[in-house]
Amino acid sequence: MKWVYSFGEGSGEGDASMKHLLGGKGANLAEMASLGLPVPPGFTITTEVCTAFYDNDRQYPDGLKAQVAAAIATVGAAVGRVFGDADKPLLVSVRSGARASMPGMMDTVLNLGLTDETVKGLASLAGDERFAYDSYRRFIQMYSNVVLELDHHEFEDILETYKEERDYFLDTELSADDWKSIVASYKGVVEKVRGKPFPQDPTEQIWGAIGAVFGSWRNDRAETYRRLHNIPESWGTAVNVQAMVFGNMGDTSATGVAFTRNPSTGENEYYGEFLINAQGEDVVAGIRTPQPLTKSAREAMGEEDPSLEEAMPKAYGELTAVFDKLEKHYRDMQDIEFTIQENKLWMLQTRNGKRTAKAAMKIAVDLCQEGLINREEAVLRVEPGSLDQLLHPSLDPNAPRDLVLAGLPASPGAASGEVVFSADEAERLSQEGRKVILVRVETSPEDIHGMHAAQAIVTARGGMTSHAAVVARGMGRPCVCGAGDLKIDNSGAFFTAGGRQVNKGDCVTVDGSAGKVFFGEVATMQPELSGDFATLMGWADNVRRMAVRANADTPHDAQVARNFGAQGIGLCRTEHMFFDAERIVAVREMILAEDKAGREAALAKLLPMQRSDFEDIFRVMSGLPVTVRLLDPPLHEFLPHSDDEIEEVAKSSGMDAQKLKDRAHKLQEFNPMLGHRGCRLGVSYPEIYEMQARAIVEAACTIAEETGERVTPEIMVPLVAKSEELSFLKKRIDDVASAVLKERNATLDYLVGTMIELPRAALTADEIAGDAEFFSFGTNDLTQTTFGLSRDDSASFLPDYLRRNILERDPFVTIDTQGVGALMEVAVEKGRKTRPQIKLGICGEHGGDPDSITFVENLGLDYVSCSPYRAPIARLAAAQAKLEERASSSNA
């Protein structure tokens, strides 16, 4: 069994198509080597080893150690070094490399192979003792943190104290003797904590690092990232071992991170940062604030220190040539890590770069217009869920603002919230429904849960490619980094900036696009969805098969839906129209009435209100289909609870307050979600649905006469379990419609259908389709009734199921294809058997989930319906689902 694949010296045993086996980093290193780019030689241990590692109680498969030893020898021969040799030591990096990019989530070790003996050989080879011991102290700290599990602050405190005692400000001010002293102190900490010395055997070191990288696949931050980005745990990670090249060998060496296009805006301009005399973690960790790559970027930022273009023009020219070559080869914007060792350029990584939704739109459109990809590829290049970033407010340019501090515009967007200083507190307050802004000196992968909970992130350190910036852009969170004036008090109670104090709990507003933080809440405005957005969405609309509707209960919601490209309303929930204070009393009169006469009196008050609501919605939708769900209230949502509410109903209805109270008590239910609601209410009190049917048909006739446009109402009966329920109610709806049309001497095309939201309805869909002209899958309730779960109550324990891999996805977010999806398949097949042209849609929350949209595309539904603000997401996801289905069919 082959567990190890080598790369370097102009060739690679793998290529970019092997990400499933070599991980993204390993596959791309092999690809770059084959392209002839300067890649330090190395090898990749496959993801299959990770799987075996966990399947066999963290034991490695047979043959692995021999293959690794041989690969190390090959790398050493390529660079003229020997692993563990005191005179010519081979040093390597050990990095993770999952199939999907997970920046900062797993572990890395640099300078591995250094010991008390090999450090002397490194100093001799380099002719630079300071560089050698700087590298050794970095290795001890990184290895101790990643492999030996010591807190990195143990080492940071030693270094900071040492510098303060000697009035040093920068690490670059320390001499070789200084670093020797630091190394001795670091080793002392290790021995004190572990009870034994720091490992001096390079072979022990490398297997410790390999085990730590595989172990990090299941650390808390990696598990959180996978859950947020829907990355299966079963994929595993690869391990990449590569000969070290050094960016910390003086002023002719540097390290950096670069993007071939701007990942925030999508502009076709080189974007990135570098540090002279540094190693890679210095850039991404934000320990030092780096410099921009280009002269124009430096001038725009007002920086004095030279850019890479100015400081190392030869290396910069080589680097930009590599940018162009890689972007044309991969046909996408690339995120690149590089090191310059004594003026020689080395490429350490390339991958498709993370980007904001705005940038993704622009890059996809531009690449298409540049002829690198076609329109269908452009549609597939944008993650549908990322469009959510474009649908949030930005600061109103005319709003007053009180500037607190400024930094780098690391991730665009605007948000307000109360200041917090810890990730744990951000998560806790967010769970209480409060909006928070996470303020940190710098973020680390351990902060990911708090970053996800926060509305925005602000850091004192770090640049545009720091951990905070990269993760925030991926999450769509506004972020300001490198705010040098930001000083967080050690008490964690306040921060100061420019002499001004801002306390924990104070409200601030973050403008990630401008890199500024303002005191208080600043007014915002909605984005304009035009330009590249409109172009790409137009391409998507030309591709997709399914229609996209929106769930809308008010004229405002309906207008928003139309603005976002919805092609109708797939769910208008009439019970939501009754929560208004002026209407709730009449609804309570209807529910609490002792007889039909009392109910009809209350319904007479509600009829004009309902009719007016429907007229407004039909008017906005201007001839597009509107699906109106008849009343479906769990009674506990409408029953009066306080004496004041009882008195209000009594006064309005003329009924006795005590009798009303007794009646309300009798109607209380133990399980209202499965109680007297939906069509059951209509069966008991047909006059309720008759009133609503009249309001719908009368409103449709009025708007048709007013506008001359065709109005197409779709009347949906909820919670049907038996075909007889629908038959009983459909006859009454049709009778009312006939009466109204006769009264008005009008004609109207309308449909009567039902929600499929109970397992029994799905299993008997052939019978129900005898009367139903359409099915709309109510997947919220269908999931509840299939799992026997309450969506409102399961949040307390579903995270345990996800963490323990009992569930791969939250079934209330993404359709459970094996259970709920199987019921849907049965309903589709049986419904079409009875009524081949039956209209089929979905109107639960799943209608806006891209993975669920892919499933229902394959199921052949006619439309999805979702929140108005998610309509663009659904439009793009439906297009991608169609393209994927087409590609799958052509490959079959």
Side-chain angles (χ1 to χ4, degrees), residues 47-354:
T47 58
E48 291 176 341
V49 176
C50 185
T51 301
F53 179 76
Y54 284 110
D55 286 347
N56 296 286
D57 196 25
R58 295 183 176 240
Q59 298 298 310
Y60 296 114
D62 293 341
L64 176 65
K65 291 197 173 183
Q67 290 183 33
V68 168
I72 290 174
T74 300
V75 172
V79 297
R81 302 283 189 271
V82 177
F83 194 57
D85 186 78
D87 296 323
K88 292 185 177 182
L90 169 68
L91 304 184
V92 297
S93 63
V94 181
R95 291 182 170 95
S96 64
R99 189 188 311 186
S101 175
M102 296 172 59
M105 294 303 107
M106 291 182 295
D107 292 328
T108 294
V109 178
L110 304 181
N111 308 323
L112 190 144
L114 281 173
T115 66
D116 292 348
E117 294 303 316
T118 58
V119 69
K120 298 172 187 175
L122 179 64
S124 176
L125 287 170
D128 187 343
E129 197 174 38
R130 183 201 175 280
F131 149 72
Y133 280 92
D134 175 31
S135 299
Y136 194 17
R137 66 93 186 179
R138 291 171 182 269
F139 170 58
I140 293 171
Q141 177 172 348
M142 193 174 292
Y143 191 91
S144 298
N145 177 237
V146 170
V147 181
L148 306 180
E149 299 184 342
L150 275 69
D151 195 315
H152 67 88
H153 290 300
E154 298 266 11
F155 305 95
E156 288 293 331
D157 290 345
I158 290 172
L159 180 57
E160 290 302 317
T161 300
Y162 190 94
K163 286 161 62 176
E164 287 175 7
E165 290 174 348
R166 291 158 181 77
D167 290 329
Y168 293 152
F169 182 69
L170 298 174
D171 292 356
T172 50
E173 297 175 50
L174 275 70
S175 67
D177 288 338
D178 290 324
W179 286 128
K180 289 179 182 179
S181 296
I182 294 294
V183 164
S185 297
Y186 280 10
K187 288 164 59 184
V189 167
V190 173
E191 186 162 3
K192 179 181 177 181
V193 174
R194 295 180 73 228
K196 52 184 177 180
F198 185 81
Q200 293 295 307
D201 178 3
T203 300
E204 177 188 348
Q205 292 175 359
I206 196 165
W207 284 105
I210 290 169
V213 171
F214 281 136
S216 69
W217 179 246
R218 289 189 178 176
N219 67 29
D220 289 343
R221 63 181 186 268
E223 288 186 352
T224 298
Y225 190 92
R226 286 200 301 274
R227 185 174 68 253
L228 295 176
H229 295 273
N230 301 319
I231 298 172
E233 183 180 286
S234 59
W235 282 4
T237 183
V239 175
N240 298 287
V241 179
Q242 197 170 11
M244 280 295 302
V245 289
F246 299 95
N248 60 327
M249 291 188 71
D251 291 342
T252 60
S253 301
T255 189
V257 176
F259 295 83
T260 56
R261 300 185 188 225
N262 189 310
S264 287
T265 66
E267 292 295 332
N268 191 1
E269 59 189 13
Y270 301 138
Y271 178 101
E273 298 169 321
F274 80 107
L275 283 170
I276 289 177
N277 196 18
Q279 287 198 320
E281 77 270 16
D282 295 340
V283 177
V284 296
I287 295 168
R288 289 165 55 190
T289 300
Q291 290 300 113
L293 292 181
T294 65
K295 178 182 178 182
S296 59
R298 177 190 65 76
E299 292 173 342
M301 295 166 65
E303 297 286 346
E304 295 183 1
D305 291 337
S307 64
L308 182 67
E309 182 180 8
E310 297 163 299
M312 299 180 177
K314 180 176 181 295
Y316 174 80
E318 294 171 353
L319 183 63
T320 56
V322 169
F323 289 170
D324 295 343
K325 185 171 187 175
L326 287 175
E327 185 168 280
K328 286 182 172 62
H329 180 75
Y330 284 99
R331 301 185 308 130
D332 201 356
M333 183 263 280
Q334 294 298 291
D335 170 2
I336 292 165
E337 293 180 16
F338 65 91
T339 286
I340 300 167
Q341 178 179 311
E342 296 181 311
N343 291 316
K344 177 171 176 53
L345 175 69
W346 293 97
M347 304 306 299
L348 304 183
Q349 174 173 286
T350 192
R351 60 189 174 193
N352 292 340
K354 299 282 186 184

Side-chain angles (χ1 to χ4, degrees), residues 148 535 589:
L148 306 180
T535 298
E589 285 182 48

Side-chain angles (χ1 to χ4, degrees), residues 628-650:
V628 180
R629 183 176 73 186
L630 300 181
L631 194 63
D632 183 22
L635 287 183
H636 70 285
E637 295 182 4
F638 285 95
L639 288 175
H641 300 288
S642 68
D643 289 342
D644 287 344
E645 290 173 343
I646 293 284
E647 286 294 337
E648 191 175 17
V649 176

Side-chain angles (χ1 to χ4, degrees), residues 571-587:
L571 178 62
C572 176
R573 294 155 288 205
T574 54
E575 63 275 6
H576 287 193
M577 299 172 171
F578 293 140
F579 286 118
D580 185 273
E582 295 179 3
R583 302 183 180 195
I584 191 70
V585 175
V587 174

